[in-house]
Amino acid sequence: MARIRAYRNDAEAKVTGTARYADDYSFPGMLHMVPVYADYVSARNLAVNGAEALAQPGCIAVLTASDVPGNCRYGQIEEDYPILAEGTIRSWGDVTALVIAETREQALQAASLVKVTAEPMEPVLTIEAALDPYAPIIPEGKDSNIVVHHRLRHGDPEAVFDQCELVIEEDFHTQVIEQAYMEPESCVCVPRHDGVLEIYGSMQHPFSTRRFVSSFLDEPFSAIEVYTIPMGGGFGGKDDNAAAVCARAALGARITGRPVKLTYNREWSVRETYKRHPYRMHYKMGFSSEGKIEAVETTMYADSGAYLSVTPWVTWRSTAQCCGPYGVEHVKADVYGVATNNVFRGAMRGFGAPQVNFAVEQLIDIGAHRLGIHPLGMRRMNMVKQNGETVTGQILDKHTVSLEEVMNSVVHHIGYRKKYEQCSRGTSDNDELYGIGLSVSYRGSSLGAEGMDYCSCVINGQHDGSILLETGIHENGQGSESVMMLILAEELGIDRKRIRYRRSSTSTIPDSGTTVATRGTIMGGSSVVVAAQKLKELISSHIAQRLKCSSDEVTFHDDKIWGLTYDNSLTWEEAMKELYLQRVAPYAFGTYQGPDVSWDDTTGQGDAYFTYVYSCQCAEVMVHKHTGKIRVTNVVAGHDVGKAINRAMVLGQMYGGITQGIGMTLMEQVQEAGGKITNLNLGTYRIPRSTDIPEMEGIIIEHYDPLSLTGAKGIGEPAIELIAPAIANAVYHATGIRCTSLPLKIRPEDLS
């Protein structure tokens, strides 16, 4: 059966507006909750007085930390994040109280009357201030504001630098970025008659949410059921905070015995939720006269904000990929996460790689320019190759290393060589300067050595020949359900219309890890293959006799189940009825564990990931001489995704990632003054408009990956992680000005 290459099972509901998101849910007797913040960035001796609020019409309760039966603090790595603040304030985003009322309007009115007092303390707001030995220690119980330190040691770079023809030292800075998803956080929690709390929320990981709620309420997992419902975007931003929103609603529902809805407005969302880590990076890179990278030393500092969240995992990826997709024999890297009193930082699409690539891919171009080597030649000489060794000591011999092929495809398609010669380099006969630039990357697929990779799948055949499918992968809006359905249809050789993706909950499928790190397709799809193989074995063993063949001769294709001849076949309807008559349930449960990885924390050596996605993006820009405005006019992206399950969605992920990356490169920046965010909505936090989007073309390159049971690897994060340096290199070739901070800014006076 021909594979369907473009499909979304939720397309009609989303296009017609019938898809129900968290705020669309309503239940009889439902109450409304709103958060209360304190106008402090750092303070102690917190006190909350809700008496005046409680006297307002419709106000049911004002909840504080004293009303929490369990642990007020939780986190994925350390339990330091306050679901409700108790005693101290560590950031402007801390929630101090929750107001519950009959209507949202009444809750808002009552919330404005809650009195919050505390003793202000001087906040620590920069990495430099946090590293001062006399600075206040922000993490409780710690002896330093350094919350994590990763090391990578490979060879001896210090001994090699003196022998290098060229040594470059450069500092790079990246900014604070808001995920800017369309749907702010929202949750409805419903107490069920059997004592279970049902949670319908906009969150990326139902199982993380269940853990937050369980700890907060001091109740077992079995008392909490979190449902998967449509989510209006997350991009990494709806894990810790979204889980905390659900925990707060659950507290209200447990105390009042009624359904409680908590829906954030944009200002609350931007104020409270974690952002992309801003990085401060110093690189020292040494080259031979031929352009070979001989040695690298780098020190990176990431502002973790007030709470740890996933800073250790983000900075670990930066460590493992500190030299980009290049094999370097001598490397020393130190990567630090540093606590401040800023709104905390966490996961965002790219997860520690966009910051590093911004530095490394510009250094490659700087080295090429100073040595008089073409940027393509410089990259070809140094990039990882088949059976080559990475900076973590990993030998790339278990999959196709296609980086050079990917780069060649993009270069040929866009005409890079000719256009590179046509760059303005600071002079032109008109008002605009033209430039072209590219960057390449390799990205470890899935969690790698930062976590455990596994996933589960359930396939449940029905009496009428239809099939229910469920996996531990969460639908974040990226189309994962559709991909799982297409994989199952291909594995069983059936019409996709037979398959219904079942709405999952934490009570129906085992925890399969978070749907992050470009792991949805590779892990979820592989679990579908395992379950499908088990189902085929079960079916074959029970219907082979009727098909007049042995069980190992049964085949599945063309929406039927076949024996050795065309005269011996069964429709799925017939086969399912046969199994039921035999009292056999056509049910299969499959689990997939990712291949082993390894990591030595003391040296930063090991097999960091079991496979990699290879990528190249090339951008063309025009820079206006009189205004300095940078306009991206064209982007061509090439990515080796292993196998494209759904080509239309692969391209959609490419274009979406590029668009987000353009925002990061040219315009997006969370503005903070005194630890308070000043651009709290999308009117003042600028993201790309349709007029900012260039022409884009995606090239899908497929090398079946033997470590993935479907051959697929992924595209979600590779699509965003390398457009910033491509644009920065293009701007340099247009203007002769090297930009080492994001967002890129060109002053008109520097162009005259």
Side-chain angles (χ1 to χ4, degrees):
M1 174 174 285
R3 191 193 326 157
I4 300 169
R5 306 283 277 187
Y7 170 67
R8 282 295 297 249
N9 66 319
D10 56 0
E12 182 176 350
K14 289 184 174 179
V15 169
T16 60
T18 58
R20 296 181 69 202
Y21 295 83
D23 194 42
D24 294 321
Y25 279 77
S26 182
F27 295 88
M30 187 174 73
L31 299 171
H32 294 264
M33 174 183 282
V34 299
V36 176
Y37 301 95
D39 199 29
Y40 301 101
V41 173
S42 178
R44 60 191 172 193
N45 299 325
L46 172 69
V48 180
N49 186 335
E52 189 175 352
L54 278 169
Q56 296 303 300
C59 186
I60 302 296
V62 177
L63 306 180
T64 65
S66 63
D67 296 298
V68 177
N71 188 354
C72 276
R73 301 187 182 195
Y74 201 68
Q76 296 194 62
I77 299 174
E78 289 188 5
E79 294 184 355
D80 67 338
Y81 174 66
I83 301 175
L84 272 175
E86 48 180 348
T88 61
I89 296 289
R90 278 166 58 176
S91 89
W92 194 55
D94 289 359
V95 174
T96 61
L98 302 164
V99 174
I100 304 174
E102 295 288 349
T103 69
R104 182 174 174 86
E105 291 72 21
Q106 290 172 333
L108 289 168
Q109 174 61 31
S112 69
L113 300 174
V114 175
K115 307 298 187 218
V116 181
T117 59
E119 180 186 338
M121 296 188 294
E122 188 67 25
V124 178
L125 300 175
T126 66
I127 290 172
E128 291 80 4
L131 294 176
D132 188 308
Y134 299 102
I137 304 302
I138 297 166
E140 295 178 7
K142 305 291 185 179
D143 58 5
S144 168
N145 285 322
I146 295 176
V147 294
V148 65
H149 175 201
H150 295 295
R151 302 168 182 84
L152 191 150
R153 304 291 187 261
H154 190 77
D156 185 6
E158 195 58 44
V160 175
F161 280 121
D162 288 343
Q163 305 169 23
C164 293
E165 177 71 17
L166 172 67
V167 176
I168 300 170
E169 290 199 59
E170 190 64 74
D171 293 306
F172 297 88
H173 298 83
T174 65
Q175 77 280 47
V176 185
I177 295 286
E178 158 70 24
Q179 290 86 349
Y181 28 77
M182 185 179 297
E183 176 202 24
E185 292 75 12
S186 181
C187 174
V188 183
C189 184
V190 183
R192 216 161 63 195
H193 67 87
D194 60 357
V196 171
L197 289 175
E198 292 184 349
I199 293 175
Y200 304 84
S202 178
M203 91 290 286
Q204 286 185 221
H205 189 223
F207 290 94
S208 288
T209 297
R210 187 176 67 170
R211 287 194 290 271
F212 270 65
V213 175
S214 171
S215 175
F216 196 50
L217 300 185
D218 192 25
E219 296 190 17
F221 288 171
S222 59
I224 301 149
E225 184 163 10
V226 185
Y227 287 94
T228 294
I229 62 174
M231 190 179 84
F235 311 114
K238 285 184 177 172
D239 210 327
D240 296 15
N241 284 113
V245 169
C246 294
R248 293 166 189 151
L251 175 66
R254 187 58 89 206
I255 287 176
T256 65
R258 293 168 61 180
V260 172
K261 176 185 284 189
L262 173 56
T263 296
Y264 273 39
N265 62 30
R266 183 66 61 183
E267 286 75 15
W268 298 343
S269 178
V270 174
R271 175 174 182 168
E272 181 184 330
T273 62
Y274 59 73
K275 318 298 178 197
R276 186 191 293 284
H277 293 76
Y279 270 51
R280 192 184 79 187
M281 299 170 281
H282 179 79
Y283 268 86
K284 182 178 181 181
M285 185 175 286
F287 299 85
S288 71
S289 58
E290 293 80 19
K292 179 70 175 174
I293 305 173
E294 300 286 0
V296 172
E297 281 191 2
T298 180
T299 303
M300 306 181 207
Y301 294 96
D303 182 348
S304 179
Y307 305 106
L308 187 67
S309 186
V310 293
T311 293
W313 296 338
V314 171
T315 50
W316 176 80
R317 185 175 282 269
S318 302
T319 308
Q321 299 184 214
C322 66
C323 290
Y326 303 106
V328 184
E329 188 173 349
H330 301 279
V331 182
K332 178 184 177 184
D334 291 279
V335 184
Y336 300 89
V338 181
T340 66
N341 286 116
N342 294 309
V343 173
F344 74 129
R345 326 303 191 187
M348 185 176 176
R349 188 178 189 178
F351 208 73
Q355 298 95 322
V356 170
N357 290 340
F358 176 67
V360 171
E361 284 302 289
Q362 288 202 80
L363 287 166
I364 297 298
D365 262 34
I366 293 170
H369 174 72
R370 294 186 185 176
L371 290 171
I373 299 172
H374 198 284
L376 297 180
M378 179 76 85
R379 287 178 170 83
R380 286 198 179 94
M381 182 184 306
N382 291 289
M383 64 176 50
V384 291
K385 296 180 174 66
Q386 195 71 49
N387 300 316
E389 185 179 10
T390 72
V391 296
T392 72
Q394 181 173 359
I395 304 301
L396 301 176
D397 59 354
K398 295 182 173 63
H399 64 276
T400 300
V401 180
S402 59
L403 185 55
E404 186 168 11
E405 176 189 347
V406 172
M407 186 178 76
N408 288 344
S409 297
V410 172
V411 165
H412 174 75
H413 195 86
I414 202 170
Y416 178 86
R417 286 187 172 277
K418 182 178 180 180
K419 290 178 178 178
Y420 177 75
E421 299 301 324
Q422 296 170 346
C423 290
S424 298
R425 294 178 171 81
T427 61
S428 69
D429 296 331
N430 54 40
D431 289 339
E432 290 192 305
L433 301 167
Y434 168 78
I436 189 170
L438 60 72
S439 60
V440 297
S441 73
Y442 77 158
R443 181 180 186 83
S445 290
S446 214
L447 296 175
E450 76 187 47
M452 295 183 293
D453 272 321
Y454 57 93
C455 191
S456 300
C457 171
V458 170
I459 304 173
N460 193 346
Q462 302 299 297
H463 187 268
D464 64 353
S466 61
I467 295 173
L468 296 174
L469 169 65
E470 188 175 357
T471 73
I473 295 301
H474 189 257
E475 175 59 70
N476 294 339
Q478 78 278 38
S480 66
E481 292 181 357
S482 305
V483 166
M484 302 304 131
M485 293 171 71
L486 294 174
I487 292 170
L488 181 59
E490 184 168 334
E491 285 297 314
L492 297 183
I494 61 175
D495 189 325
R496 184 264 309 158
K497 294 179 181 178
R498 289 190 181 277
I499 304 169
R500 173 74 62 179
Y501 199 97
R502 186 181 185 277
R503 183 179 73 175
S504 302
S505 84
T506 51
S507 298
T508 61
I509 192 81
D511 187 351
S512 296
T514 54
T515 304
V516 296
T518 314
R519 70 185 295 272
T521 299
I522 194 169
M523 299 306 299
S526 293
S527 74
V528 171
V529 171
V530 172
Q533 290 172 345
K534 289 186 175 182
L535 183 65
K536 288 193 288 187
E537 290 172 4
L538 182 145
I539 293 172
S540 297
S541 65
H542 286 87
I543 65 170
Q545 184 176 4
R546 184 166 170 184
L547 292 174
K548 300 179 180 179
C549 64
S550 63
S551 60
D552 60 356
E553 293 172 325
V554 176
T555 57
F556 298 75
H557 58 87
D558 294 306
D559 205 34
K560 286 186 176 182
I561 304 170
W562 302 82
L564 292 176
T565 69
Y566 282 104
D567 294 329
N568 295 309
S569 67
L570 293 174
T571 66
W572 276 82
E573 290 81 357
E574 292 168 335
M576 293 299 99
K577 289 178 182 177
E578 177 68 24
L579 289 175
Y580 275 96
L581 289 174
Q582 295 183 32
R583 292 180 291 181
V584 173
Y587 176 95
F589 175 72
T591 60
Y592 173 74
Q593 295 181 352
D596 290 339
V597 292
S598 62
W599 189 256
D600 184 335
D601 285 322
T602 60
T603 62
Q605 296 296 286
D607 292 352
Y609 302 95
F610 59 83
T611 193
Y612 293 82
V613 175
Y614 299 96
S615 306
C616 175
Q617 292 181 356
C618 190
E620 296 180 76
V621 304
M622 301 296 291
V623 181
H624 199 281
K625 288 181 179 178
H626 306 306
T627 65
K629 181 178 180 181
I630 302 166
R631 181 166 55 92
V632 183
T633 60
N634 186 36
V635 174
V636 173
H639 299 270
D640 181 355
V641 300
K643 173 184 173 183
I645 305 297
N646 189 327
R647 298 186 70 87
M649 287 201 299
V650 170
L651 292 172
Q653 288 285 314
M654 284 190 196
Y655 302 149
I658 291 166
T659 299
Q660 283 188 302
I662 288 173
M664 173 181 174
T665 308
L666 299 181
M667 60 195 70
E668 293 188 43
Q669 184 167 17
V670 172
Q671 302 289 344
E672 296 172 307
K676 301 177 182 180
I677 298 173
T678 59
N679 50 345
L680 287 171
N681 57 57
L682 299 184
T684 51
Y685 181 86
R686 186 184 167 196
I687 61 175
R689 304 163 297 180
S690 59
T691 53
D692 297 312
I693 308 306
E695 292 292 320
M696 291 185 279
E697 189 160 358
I699 302 171
I700 298 173
I701 295 166
E702 297 178 278
H703 287 285
Y704 190 99
D705 196 300
L707 299 178
S708 164
L709 298 188
T710 65
K713 291 190 279 196
I715 184 58
E717 290 179 291
I720 195 177
E721 69 178 16
L722 68 166
I723 191 62
I727 294 172
N729 286 333
V731 168
Y732 174 79
H733 296 145
T735 65
I737 298 171
R738 179 61 64 183
C739 300
T740 57
S741 296
L742 289 174
L744 304 182
K745 300 293 182 184
I746 297 291
R747 300 185 305 172
E749 56 266 33
D750 293 335
L751 295 172
S752 57

